[in-house]
Amino acid sequence: MKKPKAAQGLLFLALSAAAVMVLYPVVYSFFMAVMSPEEASAYPPSVIPQSFRPENFREVFEIIPIATFIGNTFLVSAMVMAGQLVTASLAAYAFAQMNFKGKGIMFSLFVATMMVPWEVTMIPNYLTVRSLGWLDSYQGLTVPFLATAFGTFLLRQFFMQLPKELFEAAKIDGCGHIRYFLFHMLPLSRPALGTLAVYSFLNMYNSYLWPLLITNSKPMRTVQIGISMLEFQESTSWNLVFAGISLAILPSLLLLVFGLKQLVRGMSAGALKG
């Protein structure tokens, strides 16, 4: 049944308004990033910038080593992404394709860990990392995040959609679990793997509390922590703060733009079968 044009128009207007409300804070960050110090501190604030000052970005590079911070964040996010892809795909394959005693209970316990807030496990993780001497190091930043219950659940749902006959045919040809996993399962699961890669990378890229807790030297800081160095006790130049924020969010925005199709496709594919 076709919707009336008036209803379609109202729906379009409501969706457009929601899109503007979501996008405007991001766009306003870029506006603030090119304002002069006087305009950025003015009250009431300008909705659209009346000045254009690209020197703000150069000043940010002079005040803090933001390139090092962004490089650290990229390295940590890439390591966590790679680790989660390996551990989650192996665990998901075992839960989806292999039969062993207690598989159902084990998977239920595995998924139940998603209900535990990260803040609950933060102190035990901190004590463990400290006892290993990993404070202020890449190991401390990455190792606690190398396994993910969500990623295992996502990939397991996708693996279960692949026909069982495929494994039976491969088995007749002499293919074992390892070869089937590497040469058949992984190539067919590229949408789900891409989804997990984008999700885990962005999640780690935007992480703030854990890097703040375990790093205390400039060379190990991530960009989310480094931005706070643009705020001073005496006064804060908001145009510089927003210039730093714009530099920090630009890589993740680009990744989201190019990976959004993969992200949505993988999420919807994994939601079809329980």
Side-chain angles (χ1 to χ4, degrees), residues 214-255:
I214 72 156
T215 60
N216 49 37
S217 66
K218 268 190 181 180
M220 291 306 302
R221 292 288 195 192
T222 58
V223 70
Q224 309 297 342
I225 312 299
I227 294 300
S228 61
M229 295 181 187
L230 292 168
E231 295 183 52
F232 305 103
Q233 283 187 344
E234 298 79 17
S235 64
T236 299
S237 297
W238 291 110
N239 55 331
L240 297 184
V241 173
F242 278 90
I245 291 172
S246 301
L247 289 171
I249 65 174
L250 198 57
S252 56
L253 277 180
L254 289 175
L255 182 65

Side-chain angles (χ1 to χ4, degrees), residues 137-148:
S137 68
Y138 288 117
Q139 300 97 303
L141 284 168
T142 56
V143 170
F145 301 96
L146 292 183
T148 164

Side-chain angles (χ1 to χ4, degrees), residues 1-228:
M1 186 176 169
K2 216 170 181 179
K3 287 185 179 178
K5 283 188 177 179
Q8 284 186 343
L10 284 174
L11 180 63
F12 178 77
L13 284 175
L15 292 175
S16 299
V20 169
M21 289 171 68
V22 170
L23 289 176
Y24 186 72
V26 179
V27 175
Y28 191 67
S29 298
F30 288 101
F31 285 170
M32 284 284 284
V34 294
M35 287 183 184
S36 64
E38 296 77 20
E39 188 182 3
S41 305
Y43 186 84
S46 304
V47 177
I48 295 175
Q50 305 299 315
S51 57
F52 182 69
R53 195 168 182 274
E55 296 86 10
N56 294 339
F57 295 102
R58 179 177 52 79
E59 290 182 25
V60 169
F61 277 95
E62 290 173 355
I63 296 171
I64 60 172
I66 195 165
T68 303
F69 296 154
I70 292 176
N72 275 343
T73 314
F74 258 91
L75 180 62
V76 170
S77 302
M79 289 167 71
V80 169
M81 179 187 72
Q84 289 191 0
L85 284 175
V86 172
T87 57
S89 59
L90 287 170
Y93 179 84
F95 284 127
Q97 294 292 329
M98 301 175 79
N99 293 316
F100 52 90
K101 199 174 179 181
K103 185 172 82 168
I105 296 174
M106 198 178 294
F107 182 68
S108 301
L109 290 173
F110 210 84
V111 173
T113 60
M114 287 196 294
M115 303 296 113
V116 181
W118 158 245
E119 288 76 11
V120 174
T121 60
M122 187 171 58
I123 299 302
N125 276 329
Y126 174 80
L127 295 175
T128 305
V129 165
R130 191 182 65 175
S131 67
L132 293 170
W134 287 354
L135 289 180
D136 208 28
S137 68
Y138 288 117
Q139 300 97 303
L141 284 168
T142 56
V143 170
F145 301 96
L146 292 183
T148 164
F150 169 74
T152 304
F153 174 75
L154 178 74
L155 293 182
R156 182 247 191 194
Q157 299 303 99
F158 192 88
F159 289 169
M160 289 184 70
Q161 292 183 54
L162 300 177
K164 297 281 184 188
E165 292 78 12
L166 191 63
F167 178 64
E168 297 299 329
K171 200 173 175 182
I172 291 172
D173 287 341
C175 199
H177 278 295
I178 295 176
R179 279 184 60 196
Y180 179 68
F181 172 71
L182 291 176
F183 299 109
H184 294 81
M185 188 67 84
L186 290 184
L188 290 172
S189 306
R190 277 179 296 182
L193 292 170
T195 300
L196 180 59
V198 173
Y199 174 81
S200 61
F201 188 92
L202 291 178
N203 201 31
M204 197 62 207
Y205 190 89
N206 293 317
S207 176
Y208 178 81
L209 192 55
W210 183 250
L212 177 66
L213 192 64
I214 72 156
T215 60
N216 49 37
S217 66
K218 268 190 181 180
M220 291 306 302
R221 292 288 195 192
T222 58
V223 70
Q224 309 297 342
I225 312 299
I227 294 300
S228 61

